[in-house]
Amino acid sequence: MTEPSENAILTDHPCEFRHSNPLSLGVELELQVIDMGDYDLSASAADLIAYYERFPIRATISPELSSSMIEVSVGVFDSWHDVLERLTTVRDTIVSRAKWLNLGLCGGGSHPFQRWQQRRIFDSARFREVSSLYGYLAKQFTVFGQHIHVGCADGDIALWLLHSLNRFIPHFIALAASSPFFQASSTSFHSSRLNSVSAFPLSGRAPYFTEWKSFDENYFQPLRRTGIVKCMKDFYWDIRPKPEYGTIELRVCDTPLTMQRAALLAGYLQAICSRLIEQGQNVAESEYLVYSFNRFQACRFGLDGTYLDPISHTECTIRQSILNTIDWIGHSKHSSLSLGSLLIQLSHMATTKNDAERLMEHYAQSGTLEDVVQYSIDRFAG
């Protein structure tokens, strides 16, 4: 994966798939900008980004749809260890600088008590256009996710990997879930964030195309000519190709509370992709028959949700399916000490509480959602 130039992104051929280093990793985190006076979201993203520009930070910090959130992109890496090192360094810098503006930063897929009516759309041409098109949904989209990019040699491989990953989507939802509260209410969901994403018409699963040329000519270009979409950013799919980067992008993860969990999720995706490439099996469209069911179970019940295997048609918990997958990865021909360390830590994640459960537990102990925000800030700061 290589970072594209602005001119490369604004090409006349927005669906031309750029080559990138296979299995390279990129991570983006959407973070909450918190007013430390009342622990609500602060509409200070523009001020914060301008302040960060005064300091050397080894990351790209960008605005997002709401002026109460920022996106942190940390570059391209070969391993999850490298991702963790960079995330930790960047985290330390941006947290310490934000304090000077009396702002806090944290993960979590949703803010526990913010009101969407009070949000402001960030002042940019694209975000104004999105707001004009989607109305109140744009402000309700003040939710926070982790996006993980995996490099692909070409577009055909990207589409094959995208569809091969369909059965692992519940794993990432459950492991990353951190949005049990929404609009000052307990939702009974581990990940309520994805309900906001699902409201958009171009969300959900990608259409079943297995060749990039066919995807471009028979799907993307017709939609582009009608004006429904202009570029790949207009799709809010759970996994989408990013041809300008030469990657596929996993988008179902809530932003974790810690950098360790964020890096491990990236490593998990890379390890699954590596194992899939090693096996090279075809994926049938019929595997999507249980996709919506498994996705809902992960959002609602987290690791204890029911998982229906689309290949074997057997049933287990999502937690057990993750442990089965870890065992499957462990039999790779390309095992290493780094992979072993990853799998040990992933096993721990799968057998302990996820972030949503920790947030709900802290709320039960403290009794206030302001304390939940403070807890999230402390966890993010390490």
Side-chain angles (χ1 to χ4, degrees):
M1 189 196 322
T2 56
E3 294 285 358
S5 67
E6 183 177 359
N7 290 335
I9 294 176
L10 301 178
T11 176
D12 288 335
H13 302 283
C15 220
E16 181 179 348
F17 200 93
R18 293 163 54 95
H19 169 83
S20 67
N21 294 329
L23 298 177
S24 54
L25 280 177
V27 171
E28 301 156 354
L29 297 177
E30 295 170 341
L31 301 178
Q32 304 184 39
V33 180
I34 305 295
D35 184 328
M36 294 304 293
D38 59 9
Y39 293 101
D40 201 350
L41 290 176
S42 171
S44 302
D47 294 336
L48 187 59
I49 292 170
Y51 186 60
Y52 283 149
E53 290 174 352
R54 299 166 55 183
F55 306 98
I57 299 176
R58 300 179 70 189
T60 300
I61 301 177
S62 310
E64 262 298 336
L65 184 57
S66 163
S67 58
S68 300
M69 56 199 302
I70 59 172
E71 182 180 78
V72 178
S73 177
V74 292
V76 182
F77 304 92
D78 293 328
S79 74
W80 71 275
H81 280 295
D82 297 333
V83 171
L84 177 59
E85 182 179 354
R86 179 66 60 82
L87 281 175
T88 303
T89 301
V90 170
R91 184 273 315 275
D92 292 345
T93 303
I94 62 176
V95 166
S96 64
R97 299 302 180 190
K99 288 180 179 178
W100 287 94
L101 300 181
N102 198 35
L103 297 172
L105 297 173
C106 66
S110 65
H111 184 278
F113 61 86
Q114 66 94 16
R115 299 293 181 179
W116 68 263
Q117 299 91 337
Q118 299 172 359
R119 303 283 63 86
R120 301 176 191 171
I121 300 300
F122 193 92
D123 188 18
S124 76
R126 171 171 170 76
F127 295 149
R128 288 194 299 270
E129 183 178 353
V130 171
S131 178
S132 176
L133 175 62
Y134 291 114
Y136 82 104
L137 291 179
K139 290 186 177 181
Q140 284 203 339
F141 202 47
T142 304
V143 289
F144 309 84
Q146 173 181 355
H147 303 157
I148 308 171
H149 291 260
V150 175
C152 302
D154 58 49
D156 288 354
I157 292 175
L159 289 177
W160 173 76
L161 266 181
L162 182 156
H163 294 302
S164 297
L165 287 166
N166 82 83
R167 63 185 186 272
F168 303 104
I169 290 299
H171 298 188
F172 288 92
I173 295 173
L175 288 170
S178 59
S179 51
F181 303 106
F182 189 72
Q183 305 285 300
S185 296
S186 177
T187 65
S188 299
F189 276 70
H190 283 225
S191 176
S192 67
R193 165 184 164 269
L194 285 176
N195 294 327
S196 296
V197 179
S198 297
F200 287 79
L202 298 176
S203 63
R205 48 155 286 204
Y208 187 77
F209 285 87
T210 58
E211 295 180 352
W212 188 258
K213 186 173 184 292
S214 178
F215 169 79
D216 184 24
E217 294 179 354
N218 299 316
Y219 186 83
F220 180 79
Q221 295 301 340
L223 287 181
R224 186 175 181 233
R225 285 192 293 270
T226 65
I228 294 175
V229 300
K230 294 181 179 179
C231 63
M232 205 60 63
K233 276 182 172 289
D234 294 321
F235 297 108
Y236 296 90
W237 297 330
D238 293 344
I239 316 177
R240 70 183 179 192
K242 289 290 285 183
E244 67 270 32
Y245 289 96
T247 68
I248 53 171
E249 178 188 15
L250 179 74
R251 300 172 51 82
V252 297
C253 296
D254 289 359
T255 301
L257 298 184
T258 67
M259 298 300 91
Q260 179 79 8
R261 187 171 288 259
L264 288 171
L265 288 167
Y268 188 38
L269 181 61
Q270 184 187 49
I272 291 174
C273 289
S274 177
R275 193 75 167 95
L276 287 169
I277 291 171
E278 182 181 306
Q279 286 197 329
Q281 295 177 346
N282 291 330
V283 54
E285 188 173 10
S286 60
E287 291 186 24
Y288 282 106
L289 288 174
V290 296
Y291 185 84
S292 295
F293 175 86
N294 285 338
R295 188 181 188 276
F296 171 81
Q297 287 285 317
C299 290
R300 174 65 177 85
F301 302 107
L303 294 165
D304 292 321
T306 299
Y307 179 82
L308 295 177
D309 190 293
I311 298 176
S312 67
H313 306 293
T314 57
E315 179 181 312
C316 63
T317 63
I318 295 172
R319 188 188 310 274
Q320 185 58 53
S321 180
I322 294 170
L323 293 173
N324 294 343
T325 302
I326 290 171
D327 182 65
W328 169 70
I329 294 171
H331 287 85
S332 169
K333 299 175 183 177
H334 308 293
S335 60
S336 64
L337 290 176
S338 175
L339 180 62
S341 173
L342 171 71
L343 299 183
I344 289 171
Q345 294 186 64
L346 286 170
S347 295
H348 179 73
M349 283 176 61
T351 53
T352 54
K353 297 174 182 176
N354 63 15
D355 284 341
E357 292 171 296
R358 295 178 190 277
L359 290 169
M360 290 185 283
E361 184 178 74
H362 191 79
Y363 177 63
Q365 294 172 351
S366 68
T368 71
L369 292 175
E370 287 81 2
D371 281 341
V372 172
V373 177
Q374 181 64 70
Y375 172 76
S376 299
I377 292 171
D378 293 341
R379 292 275 290 171
F380 183 76

